[in-house]
Amino acid sequence: MRKPVIAANWKMYKTPTESVAFLHEFLPLVKACCDLEIAIYPTMSSLASVIEAVKGTNVSAGAQTMHWLNEGPYTGQTSPTMLASINCDHVLLGHSERRIYAHETDDMVNWKLKAALAQGLVPMVCVGETAEKRDSGLTEAVLRWQISCALNSIRPQDAAPIIIAYEPVWAIGTGSVARPDQIADAHRIIRREIAGRLGKHAASEMRILYGGSVKPENIARLMAEPEIDGALVGGASLDPHSLASIIENALPVKRAISL
Ligand code: 13P
């Protein structure tokens, strides 16, 4: 049984003060929750404050990106060892907004993934097709390519911490959530590709989350699909009651399935 994950990608929102105020309200709402993992990815300038605020709780904190090298003349970048030095233990890699606006390539995602694993970080690798690729019948090709590049030369014995987030670009921030059957199809393609690269065991253990317009109202329907191991939430994670409702509505469904 794969332990579900609900992750919050705060993107470029919330100062340190706003982040800590969020956690002050949010942590008590979820403190009894142990059946799923909760991770929050704040912007870099709020990361140290969030790590401090979640210390000793059931919530983890991670960075939204990082460089693959440990140091060097790379203005604006943060390295894996720098994240580790502030006790950051999770990192998002290859989010479509990084691929689109920061021109992050599949090779870079692979270098970052290797660096994250070497540093002992829990990496969440984001993949997903654009509307144009889906409409051209290229969803499978895109997902297989992104996964195979990301996992290039990763050893099966090192792969356990990796989490995949399937985020169709057309569903991000649009209010048009993908249908559970569309997501399940995509997750099966991803899992098959992982199995081809890392073997069946690693593939069956790896958590694959869905992201794109997840809300308190649609999470239960999504989590009822056995292929969906959780969600990566953007807009609806910015309010503490909204994120807590997503967690609350996600839980009973997976509990019922595991019984
Ligand atoms: P929304 O939930 O706002 O659609 O964002 C999804 C996302 O990009 C999470 O990484």
Side-chain angles (χ1 to χ4, degrees):
M1 185 65 194
R2 300 181 292 263
K3 192 170 187 183
V5 183
I6 298 291
N9 175 9
W10 282 354
K11 306 191 179 185
M12 199 171 70
Y13 293 97
K14 294 193 192 297
T15 62
T17 307
E18 289 164 346
S19 302
V20 171
F22 172 105
L23 290 166
H24 199 71
E25 275 198 65
F26 175 71
L27 292 174
L29 300 174
V30 297
K31 73 171 191 296
C33 163
C34 54
D35 292 345
L36 53 71
E37 290 171 19
I38 305 169
I40 294 184
Y41 299 83
T43 193
M44 209 58 93
S45 56
S46 295
L47 184 55
S49 305
V50 169
I51 289 168
E52 185 58 31
V54 300
K55 201 167 14 179
T57 74
N58 54 343
V59 175
S60 315
Q64 295 176 9
T65 185
M66 65 172 199
H67 199 276
W68 58 92
L69 295 175
N70 283 335
E71 58 183 13
Y74 302 105
T75 303
Q77 299 282 5
T78 309
S79 78
T81 46
M82 288 166 183
L83 293 182
S85 75
I86 58 166
N87 299 317
C88 174
D89 45 20
H90 286 59
V91 66
L92 273 188
L93 301 175
H95 191 281
S96 60
E97 287 153 11
R98 300 284 316 161
R99 294 178 190 256
I100 295 166
Y101 304 121
H103 310 292
E104 221 163 80
T105 65
D106 288 302
D107 279 343
M108 290 179 192
V109 175
N110 173 249
W111 301 334
K112 290 176 186 211
L113 180 56
K114 284 191 256 190
L117 293 172
Q119 191 56 53
L121 299 167
V122 176
M124 188 182 292
V125 178
C126 304
V127 296
E129 79 288 358
T130 60
E132 194 189 6
K133 296 286 187 201
R134 174 165 283 267
D135 294 345
S136 316
L138 292 171
T139 300
E140 173 160 3
V142 169
L143 295 178
R144 292 188 61 186
W145 175 259
Q146 289 178 336
I147 290 290
S148 73
C149 290
L151 297 180
N152 185 28
S153 72
I154 301 285
R155 302 181 312 171
Q157 63 267 36
D158 298 331
I162 302 172
I163 301 172
I164 305 290
Y166 167 58
E167 298 206 305
V169 178
W170 49 270
I172 294 177
T174 58
S176 29
V177 64
R179 292 194 317 268
D181 62 296
Q182 286 176 315
I183 302 169
D185 284 348
H187 284 204
R188 279 190 284 269
I189 291 166
I190 292 168
R191 217 177 278 289
R192 266 202 308 275
E193 192 61 34
I194 298 168
R197 288 251 149 211
L198 302 174
K200 280 205 171 111
H201 177 72
S204 68
E205 299 276 295
M206 201 171 288
R207 273 90 56 92
I208 307 180
L209 316 186
Y210 165 76
S213 299
V214 172
K215 305 269 183 289
E217 307 80 59
N218 58 28
I219 185 72
R221 194 160 44 85
L222 296 169
M223 294 298 273
E225 168 51 60
E227 260 298 342
I228 302 178
D229 300 319
L232 178 56
V233 189
S237 74
L238 294 171
D239 174 82
H241 292 277
S242 167
L243 183 58
S245 297
I246 289 174
I247 289 162
E248 195 182 325
N249 297 348
L251 267 176
V253 186
K254 281 297 185 216
R255 259 201 221 115
I257 289 169
S258 66
L259 287 176

